[in-house]
């Protein structure tokens, strides 16, 4: 790297010819530089410093001086303070730099101290422990600047509004190849949450306070403000939500960068994406505050009611059901207690259904609620005819680990015909379900999983027309390696124990096959058949799928998959049906669109096309 290179006239002529092909222009008069003597991050930083130099704005002498100055600045951040720079001009906007970097400056003294309440606050000590430089190391500016910004960001996030640097120096002695670094940070006292004032709510204030993640007197934490803002938004009761501290004094804290852009604290609050981010407006209000003996910070909450009636129309298509139409009518609040009512109408060729859900939130409206669900459904598909009306009362709990437990009692009246056998039954049965869904991001998850397990029981003792125990379990997984390799796995199982299977309506029996089951077979075409060859439905079911997706370009992905499973009365490995194929995925503005071609292994000449819109979960 330090070798002096001599350029002959022939070499220069060759470089004159090759350089226009090798350099990427940044503008009509931007300087293109070929750099010798340094490489890697140092070379890239020099290129970055030179890329906006407009040669037309300088005389020849001033241009060479500007290039030298910027090159030296670019190298200082890596500890090179005395480089030897040889500059040769090819044209007005093309130069060659031969650099002898010289020795790097090393850290002779490193002193970092924290005073005030933050001296006992673990995140500040963690920041010091994670600082990568020690005495004797080569000086690098970036870690030093990051630590300074990290202290400032932590102070704003954690309520140290009287913070300041009592000493912040970088003393460099290039002739001795040494540097002395001093950073003394005084956080002052830590502020606490004060009284919370809520304005504009049409919902009882006590209900909003119950989901507040902090109490008056708790240490201030911007993350808790963001979480409260997020929780209020998730209730669906409000069109807009603003949660911010009330500041009443005048010490400037936030200084915008000289070149424009967001203040440093905007980056400080986004260093941990798994946290909910506090809004810019909330942090911007921390512009000024002076020393005071009162360290309690009042919190102002301003909300605006959501529209009382919300409507939604959806149109889709899937090979299982063909065209489909959905109409939704949602009332996110119908009284001051936050009760809500949703209605949904779904129409397709084989199935039509209308459902309604009345939701009664409890003390924690996001986690605990009662639910009344009712609906009517009609199915006319292949060997299945069904007209069903049902009512369900449920109690829902959501735990801290994101698992949801639902205990319900369902009653339904079903007029059905399956495989030529008709009946009318009234069923009353309790059930319990545990479920959890995690995805990120929502539109096209690169990581996620879904689990669901339920148990239902009916008995003639309490008047139900059928006695049965029904268990179902589903799990789906999405994982990504890098940014271009996506893997999906799915397993679904079910079992029914009953003495009179003919009394069970088709909605409780098991079928397999279709877009989200075993591809290569038509929708719900896999199940035991009666003596006439008609589908009867099974008492057991197992389906599984493995899929690999590879990004082709942008939002386009290719996929290969293999599915296996069946519905049956007595499970056995020989009963499984398997299909495999390939497909295309496009992440459209309305959601992922999937097109698959699948081949069933037990029918050599059959190929089936599968098309669907919407996320996997």
């Amino acid at each position: 790297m330090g070798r002096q290179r001599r350029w002959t006239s022939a070499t220069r002529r060759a470089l004159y010819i090759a350089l226009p092909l090798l350099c990427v222009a940044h503008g009509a008069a931007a300087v293109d530089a070929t750099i010798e003597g340094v490489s890697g991050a140092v070379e890239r930083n020099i290129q970055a410093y030179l890329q906006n130099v407009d040669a037309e704005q300088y005389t020849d002498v001033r241009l060479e001086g500007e290039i030298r100055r910027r090159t030296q600045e670019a190298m200082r951040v890596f500890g090179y303070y005395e480089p030897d720079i040889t500059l040769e001009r090819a044209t007005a906007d093309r130069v060659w730099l031969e650099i002898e970097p010289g020795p790097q400056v090393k850290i002779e003294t490193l002193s970092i101290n924290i005073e005030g309440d933050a001296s006992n606050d673990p995140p500040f000590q963690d920041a010091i422990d994670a600082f990568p430089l020690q005495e004797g190391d080569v000086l690098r500016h970036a870690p030093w600047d990051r630590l300074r910004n990290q202290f400032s960001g932590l102070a704003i996030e954690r309520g140290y509004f009287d913070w300041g640097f009592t000493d912040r120096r970088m003393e460099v002695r290039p002739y001795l190849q040494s540097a002395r670094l001093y950073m003394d940070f005084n956080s002052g006292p830590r502020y606490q949450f004060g009284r919370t004032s809520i304005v504009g709510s049409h919902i009882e204030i006590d209900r909003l306070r119950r989901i507040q993640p902090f109490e008056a007197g708790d240490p201030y934490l911007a993350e808790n403000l963001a979480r409260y803002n997020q929780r209020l938004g998730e209730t669906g009761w409000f069109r807009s939500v603003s949660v911010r501290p009330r500041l009443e004094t005048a010490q400037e804290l936030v200084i915008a960068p000289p070149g424009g852009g967001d203040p440093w604290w905007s980056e400080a609050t986004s260093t941990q994406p798994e946290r909910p981010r506090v809004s810019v407006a909330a942090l911007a209000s921390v512009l000024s505050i002076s020393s005071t003996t009162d360290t309690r910070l009042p919190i102002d909450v301003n909300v605006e009611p959501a529209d009382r009636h919300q409507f939604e129309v959806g149109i889709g298509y899937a090979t299982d059901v063909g065209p489909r139409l959905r109409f939704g009518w949602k009332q996110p609040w119908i009284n001051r207690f936050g009760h809500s009512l949703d209605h949904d109408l779904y129409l397709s060729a084989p199935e039509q259904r209308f459902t309604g859900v009345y939701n009664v939130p409890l003390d924690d409206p996001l986690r605990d609620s009662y639910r009344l669900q009712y609906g009517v459904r009609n199915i006319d598909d292949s060997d299945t005819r069904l007209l069903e009306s049902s009512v369900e009362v449920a109690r829902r709990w959501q735990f801290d680990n994101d698992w949801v437990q639902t205990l319900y009692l369902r009653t339904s009246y079903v007029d059905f015909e399956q495989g030529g056998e008709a009946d009318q039954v009234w069923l009353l049965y309790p059930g319990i379900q545990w479920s959890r869904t995690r995805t990120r991001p929502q539109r096209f998850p690169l990581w996620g999983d879904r689990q669901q397990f339920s148990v239902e029981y009916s008995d003639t003792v309490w008047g139900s027309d059928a006695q049965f125990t029904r268990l179902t379990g589903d799990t789906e997984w999405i994982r990504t390696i890098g940014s271009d390799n996506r893997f999906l796995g799915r397993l679904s199982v079910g079992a029914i124990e009953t003495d009179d299977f003919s009394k069970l309506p088709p909605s409780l029996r098991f079928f397999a096959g279709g877009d989200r089951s075993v591809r290569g077979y038509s929708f719900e075409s896999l199940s035991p058949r009666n003596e006439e060859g008609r589908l009867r439905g099974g008492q057991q079911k197992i389906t599984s799928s493995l899929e690999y997706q590879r990004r082709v370009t942008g939002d386009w992905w290719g996929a290969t998959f293999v599915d296996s499973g069946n519905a049956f009365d007595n499970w056995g490995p020989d009963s499984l049906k398997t299909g495999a194929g390939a497909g295309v995925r496009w992440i459209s503005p309305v959601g992922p669109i999937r097109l698959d071609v699948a081949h069933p292994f037990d029918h050599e000449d059959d190929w089936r096309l599968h098309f669907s819109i919407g996320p996997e979960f």
Side-chain angles (χ1 to χ4, degrees):
M1 185 167 62
R3 180 175 58 87
Q4 181 70 30
R5 177 174 178 174
R6 298 186 180 276
W7 291 341
T8 66
S9 59
T11 302
R12 288 175 181 165
R13 283 197 299 271
L15 287 172
Y16 284 8
I17 296 172
L19 190 61
L21 302 176
L22 299 176
C23 294
V24 178
H26 298 282
V31 171
D32 287 333
T34 298
I35 300 172
E36 296 286 343
V38 293
S39 60
V42 180
E43 180 183 4
R44 290 192 296 271
N45 203 45
I46 295 173
Q47 293 283 12
Y49 268 69
L50 296 180
Q51 67 179 356
N52 293 324
V53 176
D54 188 348
E56 293 183 354
Q57 302 299 318
Y58 299 88
T59 64
D60 289 348
V61 174
R62 288 188 59 204
L63 178 61
E64 293 186 13
E66 181 69 9
I67 291 173
R68 290 181 184 276
R69 184 185 68 80
R70 294 197 180 205
T71 301
Q72 290 171 345
E73 288 184 2
M75 296 184 67
R76 283 174 186 166
V77 299
F78 295 97
Y80 296 107
Y81 272 76
E82 293 185 314
D84 184 6
I85 302 172
T86 300
L87 185 150
E88 296 201 28
R89 298 274 299 280
T91 63
D93 58 350
R94 293 191 180 99
V95 298
W96 288 269
L97 296 177
E98 177 71 21
I99 300 175
E100 174 64 42
Q104 289 177 285
V105 168
K106 295 186 177 181
I107 300 174
E108 176 186 349
T109 301
L110 179 63
S111 176
I112 303 173
N113 300 294
I114 297 178
E115 299 178 355
D117 289 353
S119 61
N120 296 316
D121 199 352
F124 285 87
Q125 189 58 52
D126 292 342
I128 295 177
D129 294 341
F131 185 64
L133 301 181
Q134 299 179 1
E135 292 181 356
D137 289 347
V138 170
L139 172 64
R140 289 182 288 124
H141 289 201
W144 184 251
D145 294 337
R146 281 198 301 269
L147 183 64
R148 175 195 62 199
N149 292 341
Q150 195 171 3
F151 281 169
S152 304
L154 285 171
I156 294 297
E157 287 181 358
R158 303 183 67 79
Y160 300 96
F161 298 126
D162 298 329
W163 66 272
F165 290 98
T166 56
D167 191 8
R168 191 181 65 202
R169 288 178 291 151
M170 178 185 291
E171 298 178 355
V172 181
R173 295 171 173 80
Y175 55 91
L176 296 176
Q177 291 91 50
S178 69
R180 299 175 181 177
L181 307 182
Y182 304 93
M183 187 180 295
D184 294 336
F185 178 82
N186 191 328
S187 69
R190 185 174 186 180
Y191 282 67
Q192 297 86 39
F193 286 110
R195 182 176 58 87
T196 300
S197 300
I198 302 176
V199 177
S201 177
H202 56 296
I203 305 298
E204 285 193 339
I205 300 300
D206 286 345
R207 286 191 169 271
L208 306 188
R209 295 191 188 280
R210 290 191 189 109
I211 60 175
Q212 182 175 300
F214 55 85
E215 300 288 342
D218 289 349
Y220 178 90
L221 192 62
E223 179 183 346
N224 281 342
L225 286 186
R227 183 170 286 112
Y228 191 28
N229 196 99
Q230 180 181 2
R231 289 179 179 179
L232 290 173
E234 288 176 353
T235 63
W237 296 332
F238 308 108
R239 176 186 302 170
S240 65
V241 177
S242 172
V243 180
R244 56 193 302 173
R246 185 192 310 163
L247 304 171
E248 303 171 346
T249 51
Q251 176 191 358
E252 185 175 344
L253 289 178
V254 179
I255 302 175
D262 292 334
W264 54 263
W265 47 258
S266 180
E267 292 187 10
T269 58
S270 62
T271 54
Q272 299 188 16
E274 67 273 11
R275 294 182 182 178
R277 287 187 59 185
V278 67
S279 68
V280 171
L283 278 180
S285 66
V286 194
L287 286 173
S288 57
I289 189 167
S290 64
S291 299
T292 174
T293 56
D294 185 5
T295 58
R296 292 221 172 186
L297 201 62
I299 304 301
D300 292 331
V301 178
N302 289 275
V303 295
E304 182 180 351
D307 293 337
R308 195 162 191 171
H309 300 276
Q310 301 174 7
F311 302 94
E312 180 181 5
V313 177
I315 300 175
Y317 179 88
T319 50
D320 285 347
V321 298
R324 56 192 180 190
L325 173 67
R326 178 179 172 271
F327 178 79
W329 172 27
K330 182 177 182 180
Q331 295 176 266
W333 58 275
I334 59 177
N335 56 34
R336 61 190 177 91
F337 302 106
H339 296 189
S340 63
L341 181 61
D342 294 347
H343 286 108
D344 187 87
L345 176 64
Y346 172 87
L347 301 173
S348 68
E351 180 181 2
Q352 305 83 45
R353 67 173 181 263
F354 174 78
T355 59
V357 178
Y358 187 89
N359 191 68
V360 180
L362 300 178
D363 286 347
D364 188 339
L366 295 178
R367 294 180 176 271
D368 302 323
S369 63
Y370 284 110
R371 182 184 67 194
L372 172 65
Q373 182 171 326
Y374 47 89
V376 178
R377 179 165 60 157
N378 179 70
I379 297 178
D380 187 350
D381 182 34
S382 186
D383 296 331
T384 302
R385 307 285 187 275
L386 176 144
L387 179 60
E388 178 182 35
S389 60
S390 62
V391 177
E392 176 184 296
V393 179
R395 172 69 163 91
R396 178 185 182 275
W397 298 264
Q398 181 173 341
F399 305 115
D400 292 338
N401 58 6
D402 293 330
W403 280 91
V404 176
Q405 175 180 277
T406 305
L407 183 65
Y408 56 89
L409 177 65
R410 181 179 301 158
T411 180
S412 60
Y413 178 80
V414 189
D415 184 350
F416 70 90
E417 179 182 344
Q418 182 65 51
E421 299 178 2
D423 206 344
Q424 297 176 350
V425 296
W426 178 78
L427 301 176
L428 175 65
Y429 55 96
I432 187 169
Q433 180 186 87
W434 295 274
S435 63
R436 181 180 69 177
T437 300
R438 303 180 296 176
T439 59
R440 59 176 187 260
Q442 290 287 339
R443 180 167 166 244
F444 185 68
L446 298 178
W447 182 95
D449 53 67
R450 183 183 72 89
Q451 282 80 39
Q452 179 175 296
F453 179 75
S454 63
V455 181
E456 298 169 329
Y457 179 74
S458 175
D459 203 310
T460 56
V461 171
W462 52 69
S464 185
D465 287 337
Q467 182 274 328
F468 65 85
T469 301
R470 186 173 186 267
L471 295 87
T472 60
D474 300 276
T475 181
E476 297 183 63
W477 297 80
I478 296 175
R479 293 295 185 266
T480 305
I481 297 179
S483 59
D484 299 329
N485 300 282
R486 191 168 182 255
F487 298 87
L488 291 84
R490 182 177 69 245
L491 177 66
S492 178
V493 297
I496 299 172
E497 178 63 35
T498 181
D499 293 332
D500 191 357
F501 185 71
S502 63
K503 287 290 186 180
L504 267 64
S507 54
L508 294 177
R509 304 182 188 188
F510 294 116
F511 300 85
D515 298 344
R516 294 186 53 80
S517 181
V518 182
R519 283 164 287 189
Y521 298 86
S522 60
F523 179 59
E524 295 192 346
S525 63
L526 299 178
S527 87
R529 297 177 181 266
N530 59 22
E531 295 178 354
E532 299 176 355
R534 296 184 178 185
L535 295 172
R536 188 170 57 84
Q539 291 188 235
Q540 301 170 10
K541 181 192 75 169
I542 180 169
T543 62
S544 62
S545 177
L546 289 175
E547 182 170 326
Y548 167 65
Q549 298 177 2
R550 171 75 180 179
R551 189 194 303 271
V552 179
T553 179
D555 290 336
W556 290 88
W557 296 66
T560 59
F561 58 86
V562 57
D563 299 340
S564 186
N566 205 344
F568 25 67
D569 291 330
N570 294 292
W571 180 84
D574 295 338
S575 303
L576 296 180
K577 302 291 186 180
T578 301
V584 176
R585 309 287 181 263
W586 176 45
I587 312 172
S588 75
V590 297
I593 296 177
R594 297 183 295 276
L595 178 64
D596 293 324
V597 178
H599 172 59
F601 284 6
D602 59 349
H603 293 82
E604 295 182 0
D605 298 329
D606 285 355
W607 294 87
R608 185 167 183 84
L609 188 68
H610 295 271
F611 177 81
S612 59
I613 302 175
E616 288 87 358
F617 292 173

